[in-house]
Amino acid sequence: MSTHTDVDFDVKDPSLTRFDLVKEGARRDGVEIVHYAPRFPVPGTRAEKRVERTIAFMLVLSGLLGLGFVVAYIWWPWKYEPGNGLDKLYNPVLGITLGGSLFLLGIAIVTWAKKLLPEEVSIQERHDVADQAERALTGATILNMVDETGIKRRPLLKGALLVGAAPLGVAAAAPLVGGLIKKPDHILFETAWKPADGHKVKLTREDGSAVRPEDVSVGGQMTVYPGVPHGASNEHADSPVLLIHLREKDASELRANLKNVAVNAEDGGAIWGNFVAYSKICTHAGCPASLYEQQTNRLLCPCHQSQFHITDNARPVFGPATRRLPMLPLSVEDGVFVAKSDFRVPIGPGFWERP
Amino acid sequence: MKRRKFDVAALPAKAGGEIDDRLQVSAPLRRLFNKVFPDHWSFLLGEIALYSFIVLLLTGTFLTLWFDPSMEEVHYNGPYTPLNGIEMSRAYESSLQLSFEVRGGLIMRQMHHWAALLFMASIVVHMLRVFFTGAFRKPRELNWVIGVLLFWLGFVEGFAGYSLPDDALSGTGLRIAHAIMLSIPVVGTWVATSLFGGEFPGTVILGRLYIAHVLLVPAILLGLIAAHMGLLVKQKHTQWPGPGRSNDNVVGVRMFPGFAAKGGAFFMVVFGVIALLGGLFQINPVWLFGPYKAAVVSAASQPDWYVMFLDGSTRLMPPWEARFPLWPGHHYTLPPLFWPTVFLPGVLTMLPLFYPFIEARKFKSKQSHHLLQRPRDVPTRTSLGAMALAFYFVLMISGANDVLAEKFHISLNAMTWAGRIGLLLLPPLAYWVTYRICLGLQQHDREVLAHGMETGIIKRLPNGAFVEVHQPLSPVDAHGHPTELPYAGWVVPKKMNRIGALVPTVKGFFFPVEEAAQRTLPAEAPVSPAPSREGIGSGKH
Amino acid sequence: MTFDDSAGAAGPPREARRGRLLASPVRRSRLRRRVFAGLRLVTALAIVGGIYTAFAPGSQAEDTPKLTEAAQLGKRLYDQSCATCHGPNAQGVQGRGPSLIGVGSAAVEFQVETGRMPAARPQQAQVERKQPMFTTEQAQQMGAYVQELGGGPQLPSGDNLREGGDVAKGGELFRVNCASCHAFSTNGGALSSGKFAPSLEPTTDRQLYAAMLTGPQNMPVFGDNQLTPQEKRDIIAYVQFQKQDKDPGGFGLGRYGPVPEGLVIFLVGMVSILFVTLWIAGKS
């Protein structure tokens, strides 16, 4: 702000008031105070006292609420109890006292600033026109840096620098990327339903008990998991299956439709009696598609509303899903449901390598 | 200064002197004190985001003391009986403990979540203000770019944050995020398996999200916020046109004490509102959702509001899948999920990033702009903004379409179709309507400037015709016709009481009208009691 | 077989439901008018049907086996209010109402007690809950009649079916089996094409039990082999617990999740702060 110091001004001049100094300081900063007036030109009027009282009241109330917060925080019964006890008011009481206290403090200070601080209009100049001379000097300095290294006339060094630095850059990135990177392998094509050592996997409940055909009523559905260790846990998040017991009429419709999907029809058909099992993982975004409407035979996914037609091999009939829910080939051995094989197509959302 | 006498009153001045001896800060400090800020309500919107960010840092630090992002399986045993004995991850258990077993933990959790919603809401509202007033123009393009990045970083930070408790709702969201990664062509499966450390959900994702949420993203956010504000200070604030205001100055109040007092007080207000929300409104009750299990889902599964528009775009997307049989035995798939969740956000990032430059090129504008524009004066930009808003609203409402369908008894399928059609029809309609409104408002401004404002007084002419008497805003010529005033880019008074004709003007609730009238400045600062100036600078003696 | 009433009809539900929710006197009287109008219509139809059956040759009344006293009372109500659509002997009427043979007393009790039956308006996406036309006792009598006609699932006795239920176990079962449609909050949710899973807010223990046992409308059936009676009690205990447990975090926003939360941050948070900004920047 060198342009503003050129005026002859003696800060030690005793005839200057403090406000003269303020104005001079502002002037040196490119600021002109063009309007400056007290809110209450006559001190001690009733109006001024009223404003003071209002602010004081808000500040005291804010303090009281803050105190109330501490008191409630320490002494209010806060431990969770089922039902409708005082503990359910703990959180609201904390919110009202803390929030109220902060809010009132803010309001009090704003009132102070608006009603008691002097009215002011200041004008500050902008200086955003770039100094061309400075620019030229800096540009020359930068170019000189490049010249000093002599990189332009030393092509050997240029090449060597590149050869030397590039591998180092890769080396710096390698542990970051390499530690994270993981090959997808076959995990997207296999689930826990794949028979291990020739043993077919049983359909089990969450507690691991096997499911029998008589366990699911007509018009009923059951979420089942592969009968392997931790089969119902998130370790096998790709494996939950919805087992549906269709009505006779709907089952024969599905039987007639099975041939529409080659993999569902092979090996004697993937359904067993009037039972059908579909992957619960939506082929759109992987949510469990499990809103089964037993009369319309639709299966709805609650995340993006894809709808699948149960009696037509879970054909997507509405919403963004493009692929059918894969059918788990069902069979019954020793009176309990087993999967004849793994799903015959990959389950879950689509991906690039998916045929 | 006398040696042995210890003068308490002189202590601050002395300390100040000592500091200035060592750091020479008096001039830069005074320059900061004297910085002038213009005063308008819409300039406070960005401050809301800043203050909610501070609350987020405060409450978030508290939460880290108890939260444990481990995915180790444990059995819950605590005061919340409906989950007793249930198997869950340690992360979910620690969220429950934070809510029920840490005194005041629940309000901290809720304040943190409300502050996050407010952070994103104020960013969006602030961005709208900046966009519609043209505050992004040269020289502020860089700050606009930083703002756009801040929005997306906040988006990522919020998503990572609400995924951490590992409840059934957040787990569903994470599963969708996994599916989104899978949908990326060519590298999708590599990206997904690398980030999740194998199959979904695996055991590492929460730990990685946690470090991203508490360290990585906040650090970048903090850096960008610092840059954002540094640029603001360097380039000085924009201002509305008005008496005494030009492209070369800033009219307002100095930072201290007026602006700083209001700013500090506004922080208290924002903090207070967040505390009230955290205490009075329950948010994200994870205990109702239960632990995440791959087979568990709830009707009405929604993300937080700032992610909801992407959920909406996903819901509206038609089932279009591209398959590429590149060579026999090798077929590749581009799932429909890719378009609304990867492609669309990419476009939505790029368009605003480049908008300032595109607009400058179109309007052939190369100079710096420090005066804001009223939205009506730039109908093209305003209509484009309205179009973008309409697009955004249709997507957001579609993100909530199952809740709306259930609450208002509308068919869900009908809601989806309404969204699909609305997404195509409403944005152009919004453009057209906004354009007409802008032109209409412009015309009315010019009319008032040319003929004066309507008074509501009807006069009958000798020939029997009725005319309304207009009050001219300018002096009239010899024939009694007002001379036409030029438009100054600012509010034109349109009601008699705006110019003090009927009742005293209600000043400034919406428009802080700066007075241009010159008044003589008092020689002495009108603060009482006015001390003598000997106090100042005594440290320098 | 389930109690299939999709071919049947629906009541005056939407207005009636809203009316009940709003509980304004005007709405309620309109509701009452509508209910009475429906009642008159149904009664008139039933009388016509009754006269027809009385004069029809070979009236089947004599063929039915001896009924218990409750079933006889139930039969009288049935003939009056249900026979038009479900047939004089519950064998169903083509295009009007399904057969009730084998649906059991549980289905009848559920449908009548929740006011879904008698339905009055056909061709609706789904029959909705409304003000019941019969008392619980009458519903049970009708249930007894249908039970003795064709058998089927029955409810255990007593009004309190949550006793001995394990809330935590019930919660786990609820989340896997019920939450997908009725939501974690038990508030219900949308299904395809205008259908919806209703809120469990007004549902009693017996109704919850009956719904699981019989799978009304599009709800899947959860027979006793899938969810044992004890597990049903667990689920009921959990649902009723959630209804009685007040929200610990303040106003629960209907437990609808992020949608009302997003509304609150704008309508409450943002609006209140905007008013403060107007005041801060305004001239004093």
Side-chain angles (χ1 to χ4, degrees):
Chain A
M1 303 292 143
S2 54
T3 50
H4 293 286
T5 50
D6 47 7
V7 182
D8 181 35
F9 188 88
D10 179 14
V11 288
K12 290 187 178 156
D13 181 354
S15 69
L16 291 173
T17 64
R18 181 188 284 173
F19 194 59
D20 286 332
L21 293 180
V22 169
K23 280 191 291 184
E24 171 61 14
R27 195 190 61 76
R28 290 184 183 193
D29 295 335
V31 173
E32 191 193 353
I33 304 171
V34 292
H35 171 68
Y36 196 80
R39 299 278 171 186
F40 296 100
V42 184
T45 57
R46 278 169 68 186
E48 186 181 3
K49 287 265 184 287
R50 195 165 58 236
V51 171
E52 275 175 26
R53 271 198 305 274
T54 313
I55 295 170
F57 174 74
M58 286 193 283
L59 287 174
V60 170
L61 200 60
S62 164
L64 284 178
L65 281 170
L67 203 63
F69 174 80
V70 176
V71 169
Y73 183 80
I74 297 173
W75 284 290
W76 196 282
W78 66 279
K79 284 234 160 73
Y80 173 84
E81 296 280 345
N84 190 5
L86 270 183
D87 63 297
K88 296 287 160 49
L89 291 176
Y90 183 63
N91 207 56
V93 165
L94 290 191
I96 290 172
T97 47
L98 179 64
S101 175
L102 288 164
F103 192 84
L104 276 173
L105 181 60
I107 297 291
I109 300 174
V110 176
T111 314
W112 194 324
K114 281 174 66 96
K115 304 277 184 190
L116 297 183
L117 290 185
E119 245 178 273
E120 172 189 331
V121 177
S122 299
I123 298 180
Q124 184 167 27
E125 290 165 41
R126 290 181 195 273
H127 298 278
D128 58 350
V129 182
D131 191 328
Q132 295 300 329
E134 293 286 345
R135 193 182 285 179
L137 296 179
T138 310
T141 312
I142 292 171
L143 290 176
N144 191 44
M145 282 182 220
V146 181
D147 286 349
E148 275 167 336
T149 60
I151 198 101
K152 275 184 185 158
R153 56 187 176 82
R154 294 181 184 124
L156 175 67
L157 281 183
K158 201 194 273 180
L161 188 66
L162 217 70
V163 171
L168 192 62
V170 177
L176 275 177
V177 179
L180 277 176
I181 217 152
K182 202 150 185 170
K183 202 166 172 245
D185 281 332
H186 51 265
I187 53 174
L188 294 159
F189 296 91
E190 269 179 23
T191 71
W193 294 103
K194 189 180 176 188
D197 320 323
H199 290 292
K200 290 175 184 163
V201 180
K202 284 181 190 163
L203 274 64
T204 58
R205 293 186 177 83
E206 199 158 8
D207 60 8
S209 59
V211 180
R212 298 167 179 281
E214 61 268 27
D215 288 352
V216 185
S217 314
V218 178
Q221 50 120 45
M222 186 191 266
T223 302
V224 292
Y225 307 88
V228 297
H230 307 290
S233 77
N234 286 343
E235 227 171 276
H236 297 292
D238 51 1
S239 300
V241 157
L242 202 63
L243 176 67
I244 299 172
H245 189 174
L246 296 166
R247 286 198 196 77
E248 181 54 45
K249 166 172 72 72
D250 302 326
S252 38
E253 195 183 326
L254 176 58
R255 263 191 293 276
N257 284 333
L258 267 188
K259 62 177 185 312
N260 296 348
V261 179
V263 288
N264 288 351
E266 68 188 38
D267 194 15
I271 65 174
W272 186 87
N274 293 350
F275 289 86
V276 61
Y278 288 112
S279 165
K280 210 176 174 180
I281 310 304
C282 185
T283 55
H284 174 236
C287 291
S290 49
L291 281 68
Y292 168 48
E293 301 173 2
Q294 60 122 331
Q295 284 183 346
T296 54
N297 283 309
R298 278 194 180 198
L299 195 63
L300 172 76
C301 178
C303 290
H304 307 103
Q305 285 111 38
S306 295
Q307 293 161 24
F308 302 91
H309 199 50
I310 294 298
T311 54
D312 187 7
N313 303 287
R315 178 171 56 89
V317 289
F318 190 83
T322 48
R323 305 247 183 174
R324 297 165 191 268
L325 293 171
M327 211 183 265
L328 184 70
L330 275 185
S331 177
V332 170
E333 283 180 8
D334 305 328
V336 300
F337 278 115
V338 294
K340 281 198 276 195
S341 71
D342 200 349
F343 292 103
R344 286 163 182 165
V345 287
I347 63 103
F351 49 93
W352 178 249
E353 294 90 339
R354 182 174 178 165
Chain B
M1 184 154 296
K2 282 152 204 155
R3 264 228 163 147
R4 269 163 226 119
K5 239 188 191 170
F6 187 70
D7 189 358
V8 179
L11 198 62
K14 186 169 155 50
E18 295 293 337
I19 291 171
D20 195 44
D21 279 348
R22 287 160 179 79
L23 302 174
Q24 295 83 41
V25 288
S26 58
L29 207 59
R30 193 193 64 232
R31 202 171 303 145
L32 190 69
F33 290 161
N34 279 338
K35 193 162 182 58
V36 171
F37 280 89
D39 208 10
H40 190 264
W41 66 268
S42 68
F43 300 163
L44 296 171
L45 299 174
E47 280 183 37
I48 307 176
L50 177 68
Y51 300 148
S52 0
F53 185 71
I54 295 172
V55 176
L56 281 168
L57 290 181
L58 294 174
T59 51
T61 306
F62 178 92
L63 297 181
T64 58
L65 301 180
W66 280 275
F67 179 72
D68 176 1
S70 157
M71 290 174 93
E72 179 200 345
E73 291 289 320
V74 294
H75 287 268
Y76 179 72
N77 183 21
Y80 190 66
T81 43
L83 287 172
N84 252 339
I86 301 290
E87 196 181 57
M88 58 182 65
S89 67
R90 173 76 189 108
Y92 184 62
E93 190 199 28
S94 65
S95 308
L96 291 176
Q97 286 167 346
L98 241 173
S99 306
F100 295 125
E101 289 166 62
V102 176
R103 199 191 276 259
L106 182 57
I107 195 172
M108 284 292 185
R109 250 199 68 221
Q110 301 205 134
M111 278 172 67
H112 191 69
H113 206 133
W114 281 119
L117 296 196
L118 186 63
F119 179 63
M120 292 306 289
S122 48
I123 285 182
V124 170
V125 177
H126 173 58
M127 266 178 117
L128 291 176
R129 195 284 291 176
V130 168
F131 181 82
F132 282 116
T133 59
F136 57 82
R137 291 174 298 166
K138 191 181 172 187
R140 293 182 180 76
E141 303 100 325
L142 181 59
N143 234 7
W144 167 260
V145 167
I146 292 176
V148 173
L149 295 182
L150 279 172
F151 169 84
W152 283 110
L153 273 174
F155 181 97
V156 170
E157 175 75 348
F159 181 83
Y162 77 67
S163 294
L164 285 179
D166 203 25
D167 58 281
L169 188 63
S170 71
T172 304
L174 212 49
R175 177 137 219 178
I176 298 173
H178 180 254
I180 292 171
M181 290 175 202
L182 281 183
S183 79
I184 303 171
V186 187
V187 295
T189 51
W190 288 80
V191 171
T193 33
S194 299
L195 283 182
F196 283 80
E199 245 178 311
F200 176 86
T203 52
V204 298
I205 185 64
L206 283 192
R208 289 179 182 176
L209 278 179
Y210 182 67
I211 211 67
H213 181 75
V214 303
L215 181 74
L216 207 58
V217 185
I220 305 174
L221 272 174
L222 207 57
L224 285 182
I225 289 175
H228 200 67
M229 295 182 61
L231 281 177
L232 162 82
V233 170
K234 172 82 186 77
Q235 299 179 326
K236 300 194 178 75
H237 209 287
T238 53
Q239 62 185 346
W240 288 104
R245 299 171 186 194
S246 74
N247 214 25
D248 304 317
N249 67 12
V250 193
V251 178
V253 295
R254 288 166 305 148
M255 187 145 145
F256 281 87
F259 183 78
K262 284 181 176 180
F266 191 43
F267 172 51
M268 293 295 158
V269 168
V270 173
F271 202 165
V273 168
I274 292 172
L276 283 167
L277 285 170
L280 296 178
F281 295 95
Q282 179 166 292
I283 187 166
N284 199 21
V286 288
W287 53 90
L288 288 179
F289 307 150
Y292 176 64
K293 295 263 183 264
V296 164
V297 76
S298 169
S301 285
Q302 256 96 17
D304 274 1
W305 80 263
Y306 47 88
V307 185
M308 216 175 273
F309 75 103
L310 285 187
D311 207 41
S313 66
T314 313
R315 290 171 181 204
L316 296 186
M317 179 71 195
W320 294 338
E321 180 180 288
R323 299 185 193 183
F324 308 96
L326 291 187
W327 53 86
H330 287 267
H331 294 248
Y332 296 95
T333 301
L334 182 56
L337 193 57
F338 171 76
W339 301 106
T341 57
V342 184
F343 180 75
L344 178 73
V347 173
L348 292 185
T349 315
M350 288 304 145
L351 273 185
L353 280 184
F354 289 105
Y355 183 80
F357 308 102
I358 299 170
E359 194 198 89
R361 177 172 269 249
K362 183 174 178 292
F363 290 162
K364 297 190 175 55
S365 142
K366 282 189 178 160
Q367 73 275 37
S368 289
H369 302 275
H370 301 294
L371 286 178
L372 297 173
Q373 290 169 308
R374 298 175 82 195
R376 67 185 62 176
D377 294 334
V378 197
T380 312
R381 178 201 298 146
T382 307
S383 308
L384 279 176
M387 195 165 153
L389 265 184
F391 185 80
Y392 182 82
F393 269 115
V394 172
L395 291 186
M396 193 152 76
I397 286 170
S398 298
N401 64 5
D402 52 343
V403 173
L404 299 175
E406 202 256 322
K407 273 279 100 177
F408 298 104
H409 292 258
I410 309 166
S411 161
L412 187 58
N413 298 24
M415 283 291 292
T416 305
W417 273 110
R420 285 173 179 171
I421 297 167
L423 196 63
L424 295 178
L425 287 188
L426 288 183
L429 188 70
Y431 183 94
W432 186 79
V433 169
T434 313
Y435 210 100
R436 304 313 302 175
I437 291 175
C438 286
L439 292 188
L441 289 171
Q442 275 187 22
Q443 193 179 359
H444 191 212
D445 281 348
R446 304 303 190 282
E447 259 171 34
V448 172
L449 289 169
H451 305 298
M453 62 181 88
E454 295 166 356
T455 57
I457 301 165
I458 307 289
K459 198 166 77 175
R460 194 175 182 193
L461 298 179
N463 62 13
F466 289 96
V467 292
E468 184 176 1
V469 177
H470 282 71
Q471 166 66 50
L473 294 173
S474 55
V476 290
D477 61 16
H479 306 286
H481 294 300
T483 47
E484 187 170 345
L485 290 170
Y487 179 65
W490 188 228
V491 179
V492 175
K494 288 180 182 165
K495 290 210 167 73
M496 286 301 276
N497 60 0
R498 274 249 161 247
I499 53 167
L502 299 176
V503 284
T505 316
V506 183
K507 261 196 219 158
F509 188 64
F510 287 96
F511 311 104
V513 184
E514 303 291 354
E515 287 171 44
Q518 285 287 336
R519 283 199 217 170
T520 48
L521 285 179
E524 180 68 31
V527 282
S528 53
S532 63
R533 61 170 286 247
E534 265 70 50
I536 286 190
S538 54
K540 286 191 177 168
H541 289 308
Chain C
M1 266 317 285
T2 54
F3 191 81
D4 188 324
D5 50 29
S6 66
R14 191 164 303 173
E15 295 76 5
R17 215 167 98 109
R18 289 219 189 117
R20 189 168 51 73
L21 288 172
L22 293 172
S24 75
V26 181
R27 290 256 176 178
R28 190 169 283 173
S29 72
R30 189 189 296 162
L31 159 75
R32 198 173 293 155
R33 257 201 325 277
R34 280 175 192 230
V35 169
F36 281 139
L39 192 62
R40 277 198 298 276
L41 178 70
V42 172
T43 322
L45 286 173
I47 290 169
V48 175
I51 291 169
Y52 171 75
T53 19
F55 289 96
S59 173
Q60 290 151 342
E62 285 99 71
D63 302 338
T64 47
K66 192 98 182 89
L67 295 172
T68 59
E69 197 186 329
Q72 275 175 0
L73 291 168
K75 177 175 169 24
R76 204 173 300 157
L77 295 165
Y78 177 91
D79 287 345
Q80 229 173 48
S81 307
C82 323
T84 339
C85 296
H86 293 292
N89 272 321
Q91 76 280 37
V93 175
Q94 192 66 40
R96 274 203 193 154
S99 162
L100 300 185
I101 302 297
V103 303
S105 61
V108 178
E109 266 191 58
F110 176 85
Q111 299 285 353
V112 174
E113 231 193 277
T114 60
R116 287 182 169 84
M117 289 290 142
R121 213 165 52 188
Q123 271 78 53
Q124 240 208 341
Q126 98 183 39
V127 182
E128 290 178 41
R129 189 185 185 102
K130 57 180 185 287
Q131 205 71 38
M133 271 169 67
F134 298 98
T135 63
T136 307
E137 198 189 357
Q138 287 171 322
Q140 285 173 355
Q141 288 165 352
M142 289 150 93
Y145 171 62
V146 171
Q147 183 72 35
E148 286 173 30
L149 272 182
Q154 279 175 286
L155 293 182
S157 59
D159 282 336
N160 184 349
L161 296 182
R162 70 191 85 160
E163 196 130 305
D166 177 348
V167 175
K169 182 87 182 73
E172 201 169 20
L173 291 166
F174 180 87
R175 287 190 291 273
V176 173
N177 293 299
C178 321
S180 53
C181 300
H182 293 285
F184 292 134
S185 57
T186 75
N187 262 334
L191 295 175
S192 71
S193 307
K195 297 182 281 296
F196 62 92
S199 164
L200 304 181
E201 177 56 36
T203 318
T204 65
D205 291 4
R206 285 181 76 80
Q207 290 163 3
L208 284 170
Y209 199 105
M212 288 188 266
L213 198 58
T214 64
Q217 303 189 54
N218 268 308
M219 176 165 163
V221 182
F222 295 91
D224 279 347
N225 283 337
Q226 182 178 355
L227 291 174
T228 63
Q230 179 56 41
E231 287 174 327
K232 290 197 173 76
R233 283 172 190 268
D234 293 344
I235 291 179
I236 294 171
Y238 176 76
V239 172
Q240 305 295 14
F241 176 94
Q242 286 303 357
K243 287 198 261 181
Q244 281 157 14
D245 190 31
K246 205 165 162 281
D247 289 308
F251 176 46
L253 302 173
R255 300 182 182 170
Y256 273 103
V259 174
E261 288 162 13
L263 280 177
V264 164
I265 200 60
F266 278 97
L267 297 184
V268 179
M270 210 64 196
V271 164
S272 58
I273 291 175
L274 283 183
F275 271 108
V276 176
T277 65
L278 288 172
W279 174 65
I280 288 181
K283 278 273 176 249
S284 43

